[in-house]
Amino acid sequence: MDVDLRLVRYFTVVAEYGNFGRAAARLHLAQPSLSRQIQRLEAQVGVRLFDRSPQGSSLTDAGQAFLPGALRLLQEAERAARTARAAVRPHSVTVGHAEGLVVTACAQELRRRHPEAQVRTRHLDWRDTNALAEGRVDALLAYRPLLLSTDGLRVTELRDEPRVLVTSVNHRLAKGTQVSLRALADEELVACASTPVLWSTPRPVGDRPPPPAPAVDDSFEDKLELVATGHCVAVFPAGDRRAAAREDIALVPVVDIDPCEVVLVTRADDPNPLLASLEDVARTVLGAARRQENHELPVG
């Protein structure tokens, strides 16, 4: 009999939590999907493993008998995988990240899955377009649009991300729980070259004349100063938290604008075995982070 180890792991998590909803959240799955997977396992084993009720789920006698062996099976599978990995030369991967994307959780999970590997991270300026081609990074987490040519590259879509208005705390829209683009009709929003960030043309504040428009080479922090002083606003991906630490800047969800897309970019012909695992980690971790951010964003 062929038993899917992934389904066995799902079984052990449901058994641990005694509740399909909490187990689904732990596994980053939708509850109906998890229920179907457990039903598949029950069909493979040939017995019912859980008694389901509105109060939760409990192991049947068959489920209680199956649990110790299931745990041993997963432990032996992990031990076998570690032994196999230890038999080959250690390998490494360098993950680049651009703009405000944070890769800490992805790097930690990749190190957990591959303790023998060297996992490095490197922050890249949005103008550093040659890092992949030159081999300084093996993968790049970034927002679309991309500044670099995608010829010879593999681009994997990871998630859509909503956008937020970034403005001075004294701006008329700063206190709202959400904002529509119609409310920004007076702002001249201009897309920053090959990034998902929109900046407005600087405007006067009170009797103060507007400062010069930002130059291409101006730093992100210089542009953020214009926002903090009320001379302009910006629209960022919600996951770009670089402005969130400032007490003089407010973030307000924008409800009627297309989301940004987060992608993983690798060289199409790269044989590095860690890249497939990185793709799976990125989908799992960033997807979970997106759901958490959506839960935390104010709702009007």
Side-chain angles (χ1 to χ4, degrees):
M1 178 178 61
D2 294 328
V3 177
D4 189 332
L5 286 179
R6 179 171 55 93
L7 302 184
V8 174
R9 176 171 176 263
Y10 291 171
F11 163 80
T12 62
V13 175
V14 177
E16 176 186 354
Y17 283 88
N19 181 281
F20 272 75
R22 291 196 295 270
R26 168 66 179 81
L27 293 164
H28 309 302
L29 293 174
Q31 183 172 335
S33 175
L34 176 60
S35 182
R36 288 193 297 270
Q37 301 302 325
I38 294 299
Q39 290 170 0
R40 283 184 56 203
L41 178 63
E42 289 174 329
Q44 290 178 1
V45 177
V47 293
R48 187 163 49 87
L49 300 173
F50 289 101
D51 284 324
R52 299 161 175 83
S53 71
Q55 289 72 39
S57 302
S58 59
L59 289 169
T60 63
D61 291 344
Q64 291 177 348
F66 183 66
L67 180 59
L71 293 171
R72 286 195 300 270
L73 184 63
L74 293 174
Q75 292 168 355
E76 288 298 324
E78 177 61 24
R79 185 176 296 111
R82 286 198 302 267
T83 302
R85 290 193 296 261
V88 301
R89 185 175 59 186
H91 44 285
S92 66
V93 66
T94 300
V95 185
H97 55 113
E99 298 158 298
L101 280 169
V102 178
V103 298
T104 306
C106 287
Q108 288 178 332
E109 176 61 14
L110 195 61
R111 291 183 183 112
R112 187 193 69 79
R113 296 190 187 186
H114 302 276
E116 80 292 349
Q118 296 179 342
V119 180
R120 304 183 183 91
T121 62
R122 175 172 291 174
H123 183 264
L124 301 175
D125 185 89
W126 66 273
R127 291 162 292 193
D128 192 354
T129 60
N130 297 318
L132 263 175
E134 295 173 356
R136 288 183 281 121
V137 298
D138 302 299
L140 173 65
L141 280 167
Y143 292 108
R144 272 181 169 158
L146 297 167
L147 189 61
L148 67 163
S149 169
T150 57
D151 291 343
L153 300 178
R154 170 180 166 83
V155 180
T156 302
E157 300 172 1
L158 298 176
R159 75 182 188 204
D160 286 334
E161 191 168 285
R163 306 195 195 205
V164 294
L165 174 68
V166 181
T167 184
S168 164
V169 292
N170 297 317
H171 193 277
R172 59 186 175 84
L173 299 175
K175 303 302 182 185
T177 57
Q178 61 185 30
V179 63
S180 167
L181 282 179
R182 293 189 300 273
L184 300 173
D186 294 337
E187 304 285 354
E188 298 179 15
L189 293 172
V190 180
C192 188
S194 296
T195 81
V197 178
L198 305 175
W199 300 92
S200 69
T201 302
R203 304 176 62 178
V205 175
D207 56 359
R208 291 175 288 164
V216 172
D217 290 331
D218 283 355
S219 70
F220 172 86
E221 287 73 18
D222 290 332
K223 294 177 182 177
L224 211 57
E225 283 299 315
L226 295 177
V227 172
T229 55
H231 286 100
C232 77
V233 299
V235 177
F236 281 16
D240 187 336
R241 311 298 292 178
R242 289 176 290 179
R246 295 189 57 150
E247 296 181 355
D248 52 359
I249 287 179
L251 307 180
V252 185
V254 182
V255 296
D256 54 355
I257 189 172
D258 290 339
C260 303
E261 189 175 61
V262 180
V263 296
L264 177 69
V265 189
T266 57
R267 293 180 289 272
D269 58 352
D270 196 326
N272 191 331
L274 282 173
L275 293 178
S277 184
L278 172 62
E279 181 177 327
D280 181 61
V281 165
R283 288 184 186 277
T284 302
V285 173
L286 292 180
R290 176 76 264 131
R291 289 189 291 273
Q292 179 65 24
E293 288 165 11
N294 281 337
H295 179 72
E296 292 176 351
L297 284 174
V299 176

